[in-house]
Amino acid sequence: MATGLARISDEFRGLEGRVFLSSRENAIEQTDYKFALDGAAIIRDTLVSSKNELQNFLATRRVSSPHQFADWWGDNAKNPHALFMLHSPTERAFIVPDPLGAAPIFHYSNSGINVYSADLEAAVSFVEYLGLKLTKSTEFQLQRVVLGNGGYNASPYEEFTTFDPFHYFEITERGFSAHQYSVFNQLNEPYSYIGEMTRLRQDLLSSVRAVANAGNNVKISHITGGFDSRLLLSLILELDAKDEFDFFCSGPAGAADRIVADSITKQFGLSRTNKAGLSPGPTDSRIEQLFAPLFFSRGISATGPNGREEKSGILAVGGGYGGLLRSTFGARMQGLSTESPARHVFSKFDPYYNHDSSILSDASLSKISESLRYEWQKLGKFYKDPSQFGDALYLHIRNKYHFGYSAMQWSRIGTRVDPLYSVSGYFLSLRSTPEVRASNLIGYDLLTAASTKLLEVPFDKPKFDHELVSRSRPSISTKTTLKWTPEVYSHIDGPTFNNSSVLPQSVLKYSFNDSPASASMRKKFIEKANKIGLNYWQIENMGSAQGILSQVISSGNLDEFQSSLPPNFLNNLATKELATRVEIRNLYTALGTVLWLND
């Protein structure tokens, strides 16, 4: 292998013209098999996140056949990860991702070369090493601008595709084939809300137990003003495992998240830390802070590692998969069918869409709408009830980029775990009525089963449809005020970092105004951020971001991207006073996009 491609290991280079890239070096051998794990897997009550843990687990599990083992894995393994398996006697390779497809499997095929990887950075580096040309996808980036984190296009490169969840993959000399996990059949089993809720609670408690019992020296769970982190905390408290964790909340004192998190810390006696555990490497460059993750992820996301991070023993715990327990798109996509016009489907998918003020040109709007309708129609092959399609779309497309791929990146540095990941939870949500999903009733029941005291503490904003919940559940009052008090933070050893940067010089030449805000301006920024529901840094850095966007626009080389937007859209973001959440969000996603495409 080439020097400088440290993230690429080639244990699975067994088939002519087929390369299987895994970020875990040194394969595990067991009789006729080789294994490598990318990411972190929870298997029942066990966390598997390292070579030794994988080896110890495989020593207890006999592999009778590759298909039997792959299907068993899909029925039992949770959390974003991908297992690579090579059956040496038959020269068959298997890629066994987590069943919900949180680990996207990227596939490149050209000139007899096939590359399969859960690590896009490694795959792109390898293809570029071979001297093969890649084309950045303007459509993928347009969807980031329009829809926020993630879209429904295959990947940030035209030459790479990804696959559907609930499948594992077999590669032989004859080619590639996908096999559906039998766990998907749960969707059609006899339904009982109580029975499914019991199975879900057992699933979530098992995952929290696995994390609590893991041997990592430092475990950090994030706590915010939102719902999912509190649901996770309720499970930790139910298992009496709070002493196994330190708890972290980002943001300045006085921000909505901090007010709620500090109150919960005080009331429940949590150990707080001021370190996030797995966090982007420190840098004095604000532009690197904001956009290096986009470059390090090869165009997928503007959040995540920035390339400065060294290997770490820290285990970071989050609750991103709580979103699958309720409705994300479903409520606003009622009434759609697979025959609905493309633009009508798009108008439901994008809550900010208005044809007269769309941030897409007419041609781009037509193209992206047709892409979405294609994905919408494809869901009909998986699910029988069209009312399931909207929330299924979130899992099949956006979730794997917004949460899944980010977790995979962090697990290559330390260990990133989401105990709310559950196939049972996803199926329970889909088989509940749209009203149940929209009201967050499943989350309400999970939280009350573990800790009604946590439900008494207000959230940063409403998390339930109380009218719908109150029809079948007793009312639980919440306190009307929260009082912030300074916290004493526990000391933990943070991760280590290096001095490298993934940003090219074409981006590093731009700079933000890094002068700290005055006390009065800081207060003003916090008030505005809380009022419109944004992070503090998005308000503080808005002026600098607009200045850089103006410079990039004037540099040219954005013809394809600008032609995909209405006239003056980028100029307005760069020059007008931005007052709404949508406008400010568009500023940062557009700036990251033009920097990425312009490189």
Side-chain angles (χ1 to χ4, degrees), residues 372-390:
L372 174 59
R373 187 171 66 169
Y374 170 79
E375 297 295 338
W376 182 260
Q377 292 175 331
K378 194 166 66 172
L379 291 169
K381 300 177 182 178
F382 284 87
Y383 306 96
K384 297 178 180 178
D385 184 353
S387 72
Q388 299 171 333
F389 289 8

PDB file of all heavy atoms in Angstrom, residues 372-390:
ATOM      1  N   LEU A 372     -35.900  12.617  -5.223  1.00  0.00           N
ATOM      2  CA  LEU A 372     -36.633  12.298  -4.010  1.00  0.00           C
ATOM      3  C   LEU A 372     -37.792  11.353  -4.303  1.00  0.00           C
ATOM      4  O   LEU A 372     -38.024  10.395  -3.564  1.00  0.00           O
ATOM      5  CB  LEU A 372     -37.149  13.574  -3.348  1.00  0.00           C
ATOM      6  CG  LEU A 372     -38.064  13.361  -2.134  1.00  0.00           C
ATOM      7  CD1 LEU A 372     -37.353  12.567  -1.052  1.00  0.00           C
ATOM      8  CD2 LEU A 372     -38.532  14.693  -1.581  1.00  0.00           C
ATOM      9  N   ARG A 373     -38.523  11.623  -5.377  1.00  0.00           N
ATOM     10  CA  ARG A 373     -39.655  10.744  -5.693  1.00  0.00           C
ATOM     11  C   ARG A 373     -39.170   9.323  -5.985  1.00  0.00           C
ATOM     12  O   ARG A 373     -39.837   8.344  -5.623  1.00  0.00           O
ATOM     13  CB  ARG A 373     -40.463  11.273  -6.868  1.00  0.00           C
ATOM     14  CG  ARG A 373     -41.739  10.439  -7.086  1.00  0.00           C
ATOM     15  CD  ARG A 373     -42.684  11.030  -8.089  1.00  0.00           C
ATOM     16  NE  ARG A 373     -42.135  11.055  -9.432  1.00  0.00           N
ATOM     17  CZ  ARG A 373     -42.855  11.340 -10.516  1.00  0.00           C
ATOM     18  NH1 ARG A 373     -44.138  11.622 -10.392  1.00  0.00           N
ATOM     19  NH2 ARG A 373     -42.304  11.368 -11.699  1.00  0.00           N
ATOM     20  N   TYR A 374     -38.013   9.199  -6.621  1.00  0.00           N
ATOM     21  CA  TYR A 374     -37.454   7.871  -6.865  1.00  0.00           C
ATOM     22  C   TYR A 374     -37.228   7.132  -5.540  1.00  0.00           C
ATOM     23  O   TYR A 374     -37.588   5.958  -5.399  1.00  0.00           O
ATOM     24  CB  TYR A 374     -36.141   7.983  -7.646  1.00  0.00           C
ATOM     25  CG  TYR A 374     -35.375   6.683  -7.733  1.00  0.00           C
ATOM     26  CD1 TYR A 374     -35.747   5.698  -8.644  1.00  0.00           C
ATOM     27  CD2 TYR A 374     -34.280   6.439  -6.900  1.00  0.00           C
ATOM     28  CE1 TYR A 374     -35.052   4.493  -8.720  1.00  0.00           C
ATOM     29  CE2 TYR A 374     -33.582   5.246  -6.970  1.00  0.00           C
ATOM     30  CZ  TYR A 374     -33.976   4.279  -7.875  1.00  0.00           C
ATOM     31  OH  TYR A 374     -33.284   3.084  -7.940  1.00  0.00           O
ATOM     32  N   GLU A 375     -36.632   7.830  -4.555  1.00  0.00           N
ATOM     33  CA  GLU A 375     -36.407   7.214  -3.253  1.00  0.00           C
ATOM     34  C   GLU A 375     -37.738   6.934  -2.564  1.00  0.00           C
ATOM     35  O   GLU A 375     -37.894   5.903  -1.884  1.00  0.00           O
ATOM     36  CB  GLU A 375     -35.547   8.123  -2.368  1.00  0.00           C
ATOM     37  CG  GLU A 375     -34.144   8.375  -2.901  1.00  0.00           C
ATOM     38  CD  GLU A 375     -33.296   7.111  -2.953  1.00  0.00           C
ATOM     39  OE1 GLU A 375     -33.616   6.148  -2.220  1.00  0.00           O
ATOM     40  OE2 GLU A 375     -32.329   7.075  -3.737  1.00  0.00           O
ATOM     41  N   TRP A 376     -38.695   7.821  -2.711  1.00  0.00           N
ATOM     42  CA  TRP A 376     -40.014   7.656  -2.107  1.00  0.00           C
ATOM     43  C   TRP A 376     -40.707   6.412  -2.664  1.00  0.00           C
ATOM     44  O   TRP A 376     -41.274   5.607  -1.924  1.00  0.00           O
ATOM     45  CB  TRP A 376     -40.832   8.916  -2.378  1.00  0.00           C
ATOM     46  CG  TRP A 376     -42.197   8.929  -1.785  1.00  0.00           C
ATOM     47  CD1 TRP A 376     -43.380   8.665  -2.426  1.00  0.00           C
ATOM     48  CD2 TRP A 376     -42.534   9.223  -0.430  1.00  0.00           C
ATOM     49  NE1 TRP A 376     -44.430   8.782  -1.558  1.00  0.00           N
ATOM     50  CE2 TRP A 376     -43.945   9.126  -0.318  1.00  0.00           C
ATOM     51  CE3 TRP A 376     -41.795   9.561   0.697  1.00  0.00           C
ATOM     52  CZ2 TRP A 376     -44.615   9.350   0.874  1.00  0.00           C
ATOM     53  CZ3 TRP A 376     -42.474   9.794   1.884  1.00  0.00           C
ATOM     54  CH2 TRP A 376     -43.857   9.683   1.972  1.00  0.00           C
ATOM     55  N   GLN A 377     -40.643   6.253  -3.982  1.00  0.00           N
ATOM     56  CA  GLN A 377     -41.279   5.093  -4.607  1.00  0.00           C
ATOM     57  C   GLN A 377     -40.576   3.794  -4.226  1.00  0.00           C
ATOM     58  O   GLN A 377     -41.216   2.750  -4.065  1.00  0.00           O
ATOM     59  CB  GLN A 377     -41.297   5.269  -6.124  1.00  0.00           C
ATOM     60  CG  GLN A 377     -42.216   6.383  -6.597  1.00  0.00           C
ATOM     61  CD  GLN A 377     -42.136   6.626  -8.090  1.00  0.00           C
ATOM     62  OE1 GLN A 377     -41.097   6.404  -8.726  1.00  0.00           O
ATOM     63  NE2 GLN A 377     -43.227   7.109  -8.678  1.00  0.00           N
ATOM     64  N   LYS A 378     -39.267   3.856  -4.047  1.00  0.00           N
ATOM     65  CA  LYS A 378     -38.503   2.662  -3.678  1.00  0.00           C
ATOM     66  C   LYS A 378     -38.913   2.140  -2.302  1.00  0.00           C
ATOM     67  O   LYS A 378     -38.830   0.935  -2.031  1.00  0.00           O
ATOM     68  CB  LYS A 378     -37.008   2.970  -3.706  1.00  0.00           C
ATOM     69  CG  LYS A 378     -36.128   1.730  -3.675  1.00  0.00           C
ATOM     70  CD  LYS A 378     -34.683   2.048  -4.037  1.00  0.00           C
ATOM     71  CE  LYS A 378     -34.024   2.926  -3.003  1.00  0.00           C
ATOM     72  NZ  LYS A 378     -32.572   3.097  -3.247  1.00  0.00           N
ATOM     73  N   LEU A 379     -39.362   3.046  -1.419  1.00  0.00           N
ATOM     74  CA  LEU A 379     -39.784   2.621  -0.088  1.00  0.00           C
ATOM     75  C   LEU A 379     -40.985   1.687  -0.151  1.00  0.00           C
ATOM     76  O   LEU A 379     -41.214   0.899   0.771  1.00  0.00           O
ATOM     77  CB  LEU A 379     -40.117   3.838   0.776  1.00  0.00           C
ATOM     78  CG  LEU A 379     -38.925   4.711   1.181  1.00  0.00           C
ATOM     79  CD1 LEU A 379     -39.413   6.006   1.803  1.00  0.00           C
ATOM     80  CD2 LEU A 379     -38.015   3.974   2.142  1.00  0.00           C
ATOM     81  N   GLY A 380     -41.756   1.787  -1.239  1.00  0.00           N
ATOM     82  CA  GLY A 380     -42.894   0.901  -1.400  1.00  0.00           C
ATOM     83  C   GLY A 380     -42.512  -0.560  -1.489  1.00  0.00           C
ATOM     84  O   GLY A 380     -43.330  -1.447  -1.243  1.00  0.00           O
ATOM     85  N   LYS A 381     -41.239  -0.847  -1.831  1.00  0.00           N
ATOM     86  CA  LYS A 381     -40.765  -2.228  -1.883  1.00  0.00           C
ATOM     87  C   LYS A 381     -40.469  -2.768  -0.482  1.00  0.00           C
ATOM     88  O   LYS A 381     -40.415  -3.977  -0.271  1.00  0.00           O
ATOM     89  CB  LYS A 381     -39.496  -2.311  -2.738  1.00  0.00           C
ATOM     90  CG  LYS A 381     -39.680  -1.847  -4.181  1.00  0.00           C
ATOM     91  CD  LYS A 381     -38.366  -1.879  -4.941  1.00  0.00           C
ATOM     92  CE  LYS A 381     -38.528  -1.362  -6.363  1.00  0.00           C
ATOM     93  NZ  LYS A 381     -37.231  -1.343  -7.109  1.00  0.00           N
ATOM     94  N   PHE A 382     -40.266  -1.864   0.487  1.00  0.00           N
ATOM     95  CA  PHE A 382     -39.946  -2.275   1.848  1.00  0.00           C
ATOM     96  C   PHE A 382     -41.175  -2.284   2.750  1.00  0.00           C
ATOM     97  O   PHE A 382     -41.326  -3.170   3.587  1.00  0.00           O
ATOM     98  CB  PHE A 382     -38.913  -1.308   2.458  1.00  0.00           C
ATOM     99  CG  PHE A 382     -37.515  -1.505   1.976  1.00  0.00           C
ATOM    100  CD1 PHE A 382     -37.063  -0.890   0.829  1.00  0.00           C
ATOM    101  CD2 PHE A 382     -36.628  -2.302   2.688  1.00  0.00           C
ATOM    102  CE1 PHE A 382     -35.765  -1.053   0.387  1.00  0.00           C
ATOM    103  CE2 PHE A 382     -35.330  -2.479   2.257  1.00  0.00           C
ATOM    104  CZ  PHE A 382     -34.895  -1.852   1.104  1.00  0.00           C
ATOM    105  N   TYR A 383     -42.025  -1.267   2.597  1.00  0.00           N
ATOM    106  CA  TYR A 383     -43.087  -1.038   3.572  1.00  0.00           C
ATOM    107  C   TYR A 383     -44.443  -1.051   2.881  1.00  0.00           C
ATOM    108  O   TYR A 383     -44.601  -0.531   1.782  1.00  0.00           O
ATOM    109  CB  TYR A 383     -42.867   0.305   4.282  1.00  0.00           C
ATOM    110  CG  TYR A 383     -41.492   0.423   4.897  1.00  0.00           C
ATOM    111  CD1 TYR A 383     -40.455   1.062   4.197  1.00  0.00           C
ATOM    112  CD2 TYR A 383     -41.211  -0.111   6.145  1.00  0.00           C
ATOM    113  CE1 TYR A 383     -39.186   1.155   4.745  1.00  0.00           C
ATOM    114  CE2 TYR A 383     -39.953  -0.014   6.701  1.00  0.00           C
ATOM    115  CZ  TYR A 383     -38.935   0.614   5.998  1.00  0.00           C
ATOM    116  OH  TYR A 383     -37.680   0.702   6.542  1.00  0.00           O
ATOM    117  N   LYS A 384     -45.429  -1.640   3.567  1.00  0.00           N
ATOM    118  CA  LYS A 384     -46.755  -1.782   2.974  1.00  0.00           C
ATOM    119  C   LYS A 384     -47.620  -0.546   3.163  1.00  0.00           C
ATOM    120  O   LYS A 384     -48.468  -0.232   2.334  1.00  0.00           O
ATOM    121  CB  LYS A 384     -47.467  -2.998   3.589  1.00  0.00           C
ATOM    122  CG  LYS A 384     -46.776  -4.329   3.322  1.00  0.00           C
ATOM    123  CD  LYS A 384     -47.506  -5.474   4.011  1.00  0.00           C
ATOM    124  CE  LYS A 384     -46.801  -6.804   3.746  1.00  0.00           C
ATOM    125  NZ  LYS A 384     -47.483  -7.927   4.446  1.00  0.00           N
ATOM    126  N   ASP A 385     -47.438   0.148   4.277  1.00  0.00           N
ATOM    127  CA  ASP A 385     -48.298   1.264   4.629  1.00  0.00           C
ATOM    128  C   ASP A 385     -47.644   2.583   4.228  1.00  0.00           C
ATOM    129  O   ASP A 385     -46.605   2.946   4.767  1.00  0.00           O
ATOM    130  CB  ASP A 385     -48.552   1.241   6.141  1.00  0.00           C
ATOM    131  CG  ASP A 385     -49.529   2.322   6.594  1.00  0.00           C
ATOM    132  OD1 ASP A 385     -49.911   3.162   5.768  1.00  0.00           O
ATOM    133  OD2 ASP A 385     -49.908   2.306   7.780  1.00  0.00           O
ATOM    134  N   PRO A 386     -48.247   3.335   3.300  1.00  0.00           N
ATOM    135  CA  PRO A 386     -47.644   4.616   2.885  1.00  0.00           C
ATOM    136  C   PRO A 386     -47.442   5.605   4.028  1.00  0.00           C
ATOM    137  O   PRO A 386     -46.583   6.481   3.939  1.00  0.00           O
ATOM    138  CB  PRO A 386     -48.644   5.158   1.853  1.00  0.00           C
ATOM    139  CG  PRO A 386     -49.324   3.941   1.321  1.00  0.00           C
ATOM    140  CD  PRO A 386     -49.432   3.006   2.489  1.00  0.00           C
ATOM    141  N   SER A 387     -48.209   5.468   5.135  1.00  0.00           N
ATOM    142  CA  SER A 387     -48.017   6.379   6.261  1.00  0.00           C
ATOM    143  C   SER A 387     -46.672   6.159   6.946  1.00  0.00           C
ATOM    144  O   SER A 387     -46.227   6.986   7.737  1.00  0.00           O
ATOM    145  CB  SER A 387     -49.148   6.210   7.283  1.00  0.00           C
ATOM    146  OG  SER A 387     -49.030   4.983   7.986  1.00  0.00           O
ATOM    147  N   GLN A 388     -46.021   5.012   6.636  1.00  0.00           N
ATOM    148  CA  GLN A 388     -44.702   4.721   7.207  1.00  0.00           C
ATOM    149  C   GLN A 388     -43.573   5.362   6.400  1.00  0.00           C
ATOM    150  O   GLN A 388     -42.461   5.500   6.898  1.00  0.00           O
ATOM    151  CB  GLN A 388     -44.473   3.208   7.250  1.00  0.00           C
ATOM    152  CG  GLN A 388     -45.472   2.441   8.097  1.00  0.00           C
ATOM    153  CD  GLN A 388     -45.328   0.935   7.927  1.00  0.00           C
ATOM    154  OE1 GLN A 388     -44.874   0.454   6.886  1.00  0.00           O
ATOM    155  NE2 GLN A 388     -45.715   0.179   8.940  1.00  0.00           N
ATOM    156  N   PHE A 389     -43.859   5.748   5.161  1.00  0.00           N
ATOM    157  CA  PHE A 389     -42.792   6.125   4.243  1.00  0.00           C
ATOM    158  C   PHE A 389     -41.980   7.319   4.742  1.00  0.00           C
ATOM    159  O   PHE A 389     -40.759   7.355   4.612  1.00  0.00           O
ATOM    160  CB  PHE A 389     -43.362   6.449   2.851  1.00  0.00           C
ATOM    161  CG  PHE A 389     -43.868   5.254   2.084  1.00  0.00           C
ATOM    162  CD1 PHE A 389     -43.961   4.004   2.667  1.00  0.00           C
ATOM    163  CD2 PHE A 389     -44.268   5.388   0.768  1.00  0.00           C
ATOM    164  CE1 PHE A 389     -44.439   2.913   1.957  1.00  0.00           C
ATOM    165  CE2 PHE A 389     -44.748   4.310   0.044  1.00  0.00           C
ATOM    166  CZ  PHE A 389     -44.834   3.069   0.645  1.00  0.00           C
ATOM    167  N   GLY A 390     -42.668   8.342   5.273  1.00  0.00           N
ATOM    168  CA  GLY A 390     -41.961   9.552   5.669  1.00  0.00           C
ATOM    169  C   GLY A 390     -40.910   9.293   6.716  1.00  0.00           C
ATOM    170  O   GLY A 390     -39.761   9.729   6.580  1.00  0.00           O
TER     171      GLY A 390
END
